[in-house]
Amino acid sequence: MEELLVFALLLYEEIVSEQEYRNKLDDLFLEHPESDDLLYLEWETNLKNSMIYIRTHIEYHAFDYDLFGRFLMEKLKTYYANHPDIESFAGKMYQLWKSLPDSVQHIEPFFILSYADEPLSWGDEKQTRTIYEDMMNYYDN
């Protein structure tokens, strides 16, 4: 469910498309056809209900923060590469941080989303880019 949570969060911020979400859901269901959660989501036609279901059915006591983080950073790298306007990107990242579950918001590298845009306020685009790029490469080492 970690990967679907990433898609739910990114879909809400219009960073991924509904079709990308549906493709991932189909792939996960084919890998785990016994999952009641995935079966429910396959049948749910209302996207808003699907997003609510995902957010409320995550088992945070068994949540794989590493898997979630790796997948999120992979998706953000793609979005970043295709959206050169750093101010627009930064705005989406702050909104993304606000929509993260509380258990995720205040740990690295996710907390970076809350402040990485601050250098933009004094015109330092380079520092902002460095912060975001370091965050997106957090799991590369």
Side-chain angles (χ1 to χ4, degrees):
M1 287 285 277
E2 290 83 356
E3 292 172 312
L4 282 182
L5 178 59
V6 167
F7 270 98
L9 294 167
L10 297 179
L11 185 58
Y12 182 76
E13 297 304 327
E14 300 176 347
I15 293 173
V16 297
S17 69
E18 180 178 345
Q19 190 59 50
E20 288 176 276
Y21 158 75
R22 296 213 180 274
N23 290 344
K24 185 56 163 179
L25 175 59
D26 291 346
D27 291 345
L28 289 171
F29 184 67
L30 289 173
E31 288 176 30
H32 307 283
E34 73 287 351
S35 170
D36 291 338
D37 290 326
L38 295 174
L39 178 62
Y40 172 84
L41 291 167
E42 281 286 338
W43 283 97
E44 179 57 65
T45 58
N46 183 306
L47 194 56
K48 185 175 182 178
N49 289 344
S50 295
M51 300 305 104
I52 292 169
Y53 185 89
I54 292 167
R55 289 187 66 108
T56 58
H57 285 79
I58 292 287
E59 296 178 19
Y60 289 104
H61 65 279
F63 192 76
D64 187 339
Y65 291 95
D66 191 56
L67 174 63
F68 173 80
R70 287 179 185 280
F71 194 68
L72 177 61
M73 295 309 149
E74 174 186 316
K75 291 297 175 189
L76 292 181
K77 283 179 186 179
T78 301
Y79 184 73
Y80 179 75
N82 294 316
H83 292 83
D85 178 13
I86 191 66
E87 289 186 19
S88 173
F89 179 83
K92 290 228 182 237
M93 294 305 101
Y94 183 70
Q95 291 304 316
L96 175 61
W97 176 76
K98 290 188 343 185
S99 68
L100 289 173
D102 291 341
S103 64
V104 175
Q105 274 187 335
H106 300 289
I107 59 175
E108 293 298 334
F110 315 109
F111 186 63
I112 294 169
L113 293 167
S114 71
Y115 66 81
D117 63 340
E118 287 178 12
L120 289 176
S121 64
W122 58 84
D124 194 345
E125 179 178 322
K126 184 179 180 195
Q127 184 177 6
T128 295
R129 287 188 179 280
T130 298
I131 294 169
Y132 281 128
E133 290 166 9
D134 288 348
M135 175 198 71
M136 289 182 282
N137 293 321
Y138 182 86
Y139 294 98
D140 290 352
N141 297 331

